[in-house]
Amino acid sequence: MIKTDILIIGAGPTGLFTVFEAGLLQLKCHLIDALPQAGGQCSEIYPKKPIYDIPGFPEVLAGDLVENLMQQIAPFQPGFTLGERAQTIDKLSDGTFVVTTNKGTQHNAPVVAIAGGLGSFEPRKPLLENLKDYEDKGVAYIIKDPEVYRGKKVVLAGGGDSALDWSIFLSDVASEVTLVHRRNEFRGALDSVEKVQQLKNEGKVNLITPAEIVSLNGNGKLDAVTVRKTTNAAEDIQLEVDNFIPLFGLSPKLGPIADWGLEIEKNAIKVDTFDYQTNVPGIYAIGDVNTYPGKLKLILCGFHEATLMCQSAYQRIFPEKKYVMKYTTVGGVSGFDGSKKEAPKAVVKAIE
């Protein structure tokens, strides 16, 4: 069983920053995330998308923000259980919690911080009769390793940032890229739309609009799709493909957390704004997963909530101690790995 001071469910930006704030208090953290890597949506859905409202960064790519957070928390040596979903929670007689994942990994901590963003995500799937037959046999909903598509014929469907960005990226990887969208207009960033149009003009991306995929074909593995132009139902196009990737977004769900006895309001966890604790003492909810009057679903708000939550968690774990906050500009940052970062001290010279 994995033991830690604070068990964080969700390894997105808020969950990662919690490790830093807890580390300043000398509290150890372990994170659980259903995704195969840390970073949440920033890593999985839009790593190349710029974010403009992170203090101190006029502009930062989502993937770069995650990388910076990972560097910031490295001295505090967090543990990770990735690719597993937090399934059940049990409270022990000593007041601590045991969280078990869908793969049976058990974690024990006196404090649980739910930082699961909007919850667990399920892909929005197109309504195709035999879609399930080809899942993992040519059909995928998330691109985890672009090299899988090296030299392959790939068809993507969708009209948002993910569909546009991956069409651009795969144009240098796949042997053939086709983007199908049911409208002529796209919902993505203007520069991405213009880039796809440029790649179409250069013959590097096949763009079919307005149209939709109406059937999948293959014998045990996908080898063709049927595209129907919505302006002319008789104008069906048969495309030989190796892979079909529908990118229609992800649908957020609280998942098993909804059954943990927490107070839920509109698919979010209600918290006390004093310390972002839920109705179950010892379980906190921070970031986009929580709700309270005036809530804003912003990364910087999640950072603020994580900071106050860690102060409360410290008092819960060490009720007999009184923590005196010290600014990092004064006390520096002491990592669990023995590292120490602090401002240079002024040289004091005696006056003769």
Side-chain angles (χ1 to χ4, degrees), residues 153-279:
K153 295 179 179 179
V154 181
V155 171
L156 301 101
D161 285 316
S162 293
L164 292 165
D165 292 345
W166 280 119
S167 295
I168 295 168
F169 189 92
L170 292 177
S171 67
D172 290 326
V173 176
S175 64
E176 185 176 305
V177 174
T178 301
L179 175 58
V180 179
H181 182 39
R182 60 181 178 172
R183 297 187 181 92
N184 288 320
E185 301 79 20
F186 290 86
R187 303 184 309 276
L190 179 59
D191 60 334
S192 296
V193 176
E194 293 176 344
K195 180 64 175 177
V196 168
Q197 183 63 52
Q198 179 184 340
L199 290 171
K200 176 194 174 185
N201 296 339
E202 295 173 357
K204 294 182 178 180
V205 170
N206 303 319
L207 187 60
I208 306 178
T209 63
E212 58 185 347
I213 306 294
V214 293
S215 68
L216 308 177
N217 307 288
N219 185 14
K221 186 182 184 305
L222 182 70
D223 58 33
V225 300
T226 302
V227 182
R228 178 166 296 167
K229 296 279 286 185
T230 54
T231 52
N232 186 348
E235 192 179 344
D236 286 355
I237 304 170
Q238 298 293 325
L239 295 178
E240 291 185 6
V241 301
D242 298 299
N243 301 92
F244 170 50
I245 311 171
L247 296 171
F248 298 142
L250 300 175
S251 177
K253 297 181 183 296
L254 277 179
I257 293 175
D259 300 322
W260 286 7
L262 305 175
E263 193 172 354
I264 307 296
E265 181 180 282
K266 295 181 179 179
N267 208 38
I269 302 171
K270 291 185 69 174
V271 294
D272 183 343
T273 52
F274 176 75
D275 56 4
Y276 304 99
Q277 196 160 192
T278 69
N279 60 302

Side-chain angles (χ1 to χ4, degrees), residues 302-343:
F303 290 169
H304 162 79
E305 294 164 10
T307 304
L308 296 187
M309 183 278 295
C310 286
Q311 298 288 324
S312 176
Y314 181 88
Q315 293 301 321
R316 180 175 178 81
I317 296 170
F318 301 112
E320 75 285 354
K321 294 183 180 181
K322 183 177 181 180
Y323 176 74
V324 179
M325 192 194 80
K326 296 180 180 178
Y327 298 108
T328 56
T329 50
V330 176
V333 176
S334 297
F336 297 164
D337 56 0
S339 62
K340 174 73 173 178
K341 292 193 296 184
E342 59 183 331

